Amino acid sequence: MRKKYLTKNSFQTKKLGEMIGKKISLTSPFSPKSSEGLVIGLEGDLGGGKTTFLQGFSRGLGIKEKILSPTFIIMRKFKIQNPNSKFKFFHHIDCYRMKKPKGILDLGFKEITSDPKNIVAIEWSNRVQKILPKYSLIIKFELAGKNKRKISLKYGP
Ligand code: ADP
Ligand code: MG
């Protein structure tokens, strides 16, 4: 599956995230194995809109707390309150400062992603490419002007 979007401001990126978050939480379209969690890798330039997208995405999942750029905290965990959601916890990880994939394994990555109740979104996932599950949803963000962003989704081999 491949999909491409062009957003013209950060509000549109948030809305796109919200729509996709809602869809994923209610219909779980990207889970080949029901025995695993869903990993979403976000790649692309600084200022590409990864965090902005996740702010909408988390709202779409039914999370009330605000998503921040986890500059110093590498991982934050949120409870998904919506009782109709297929998932129960959302983990937000930022690998910007991570030198090696081992750093993410030390956070308990394998345990978290092997639990079907979890959605795990990883900013700068290209830094930990080697350890991403084969069936991850990869979202790429490219700058296409001051306020324009190309956002592409890819799922599966
Ligand atoms: P990242 O997490 O990829 O580094 P952020 O989401 O933190 O990026 O920052 C994106 C920045 O770009 C914000 O300052 C936002 O206001 C700005 N921006 C401008 N246009 C867009 C757009 N179309 N989508 C997302 N962010 C945009
Ligand atoms: Mg960010």
Side-chain angles (χ1 to χ4, degrees):
M1 185 284 303
R2 274 167 202 272
K3 275 197 174 134
K4 284 187 177 166
Y5 301 90
L6 179 76
T7 64
K8 294 183 174 154
N9 53 55
S10 53
F11 181 75
Q12 286 185 357
T13 298
K14 248 179 232 178
K15 275 285 161 205
L16 178 67
E18 185 173 350
M19 180 192 89
I20 292 170
K22 204 174 267 176
K23 195 166 169 188
I24 285 178
S25 79
L26 298 179
T27 65
S28 182
F30 306 116
S31 297
K33 291 190 201 163
S34 54
S35 58
E36 282 180 11
L38 173 64
V39 174
I40 304 174
L42 300 99
E43 304 178 351
D45 313 293
L46 188 68
K50 300 180 287 301
T51 303
T52 303
F53 178 91
L54 289 178
Q55 285 169 350
F57 183 83
S58 62
R59 188 192 297 160
L61 291 180
I63 291 165
K64 299 269 157 21
E65 296 111 297
K66 196 166 161 50
I67 300 289
L68 305 166
S69 229
T71 316
F72 295 106
I73 309 157
I74 295 169
M75 178 167 78
R76 288 183 74 202
K77 179 181 178 181
F78 302 87
K79 190 166 189 329
I80 298 169
Q81 304 286 356
N82 181 357
N84 298 320
S85 173
K86 308 263 183 220
F87 299 93
K88 298 295 165 220
F89 296 99
F90 173 58
H91 298 256
H92 180 201
I93 302 178
D94 197 318
C95 292
Y96 186 55
R97 286 189 171 69
M98 212 167 272
K99 300 245 164 18
K100 291 180 191 155
K102 193 182 172 301
I104 197 174
L105 294 176
D106 290 343
L107 297 171
F109 185 72
K110 294 277 185 207
E111 290 76 8
I112 294 168
T113 55
S114 63
D115 186 337
K117 289 197 290 292
N118 291 326
I119 297 188
V120 184
I122 309 171
E123 294 193 40
W124 302 97
S125 58
N126 47 311
R127 306 209 170 165
V128 295
Q129 192 101 40
K130 275 190 204 149
I131 57 142
L132 293 183
K134 189 166 145 214
Y135 283 90
S136 297
L137 173 63
I138 301 297
I139 311 182
K140 223 174 246 177
F141 295 79
E142 286 171 72
L143 303 174
K146 189 173 172 291
N147 295 310
K148 287 190 184 141
R149 303 290 185 267
K150 274 191 213 165
I151 302 173
S152 56
L153 276 66
K154 181 175 166 278
Y155 181 73

